Amino acid sequence: MNRSKKDHILTVASELFYKNGIRATGVDQVVAESKIAKMTLYNHFPSKDDLVLAYLLRHDERWRAWFEAAVAESAGTPKERLLAVYDVLGRWFEEPGFNGCAFLKTASEYADPSHPYYEAAHRYKSHLKTYLSDLAGRLDEANREALAGGLYLLAEGAIAARMLRTDPDAARHARATAELLLARYR
């Protein structure tokens, strides 16, 4: 089987996992919607676990690359970039296919910290906090962790609020609060 078949399977599975959840999406559904034989799926992904972990890894890599590039393109100074985080989140929230955070959804389905899916979600969220910490350190090294922690909670809160549709302006509200927080720093 060729690489494009594997990518096709992973693309279909990713869309289903993101839209319906991991537990609710069975291998048979992936096979049917991919229009492949079950053996083809298993030739590329020996188990559903392998398929899910590939989905989480690919989603992490693609989302992270998009997000960090969008923030970098949006602003120049560390302070501007920290605020751009919320602008970029706002653009993501308005995408037609937005269905929340794949990693928050995964962690809620698999809450055992030792589960490989939970671990993948934790790695992603840890990276987001590290990314914010790196930006915060460029602004104020002495207060890096306190600043990054607050900004991280604002980002995660905005994601959760938008995901649950409790605040249609979650990114804008988080940005306004981030501006207040950043006013305390250089």
Side-chain angles (χ1 to χ4, degrees), residues 8-10 12-14 16-17 20-53 55 110 117:
H8 171 69
I9 295 166
L10 185 54
V12 170
S14 295
L16 291 169
F17 292 147
N20 302 325
I22 295 168
R23 289 187 195 275
T25 303
V27 169
D28 290 338
Q29 184 180 10
V30 174
V31 166
E33 298 214 16
S34 297
K35 297 179 176 53
I36 57 164
K38 191 178 274 191
M39 188 52 73
T40 301
L41 183 140
Y42 285 122
N43 283 337
H44 292 290
F45 302 97
S47 68
K48 182 178 176 182
D49 283 344
D50 292 316
L51 182 59
V52 170
L53 290 171
Y55 152 67
Y110 298 90
Y117 304 169

Side-chain angles (χ1 to χ4, degrees), residues 96-168:
F98 177 78
N99 194 29
C101 174
F103 299 99
L104 286 176
K105 291 164 67 171
T106 297
S108 70
E109 283 191 76
Y110 298 90
D112 176 359
S114 67
H115 194 285
Y117 304 169
Y118 182 95
E119 290 173 352
H122 181 267
R123 273 191 306 276
Y124 165 76
K125 291 299 184 179
S126 294
H127 175 80
L128 179 58
K129 189 169 183 192
T130 299
Y131 172 72
L132 291 171
S133 180
D134 289 346
L135 289 176
R138 294 180 199 158
L139 180 65
D140 187 336
E141 181 59 40
N143 295 297
R144 169 196 295 254
E145 290 310 310
L147 181 56
L151 294 170
Y152 173 75
L153 290 175
L154 287 171
E156 288 298 335
I159 292 167
R162 185 63 181 102
M163 187 171 131
L164 295 171
R165 290 164 177 63
T166 59
D167 183 355

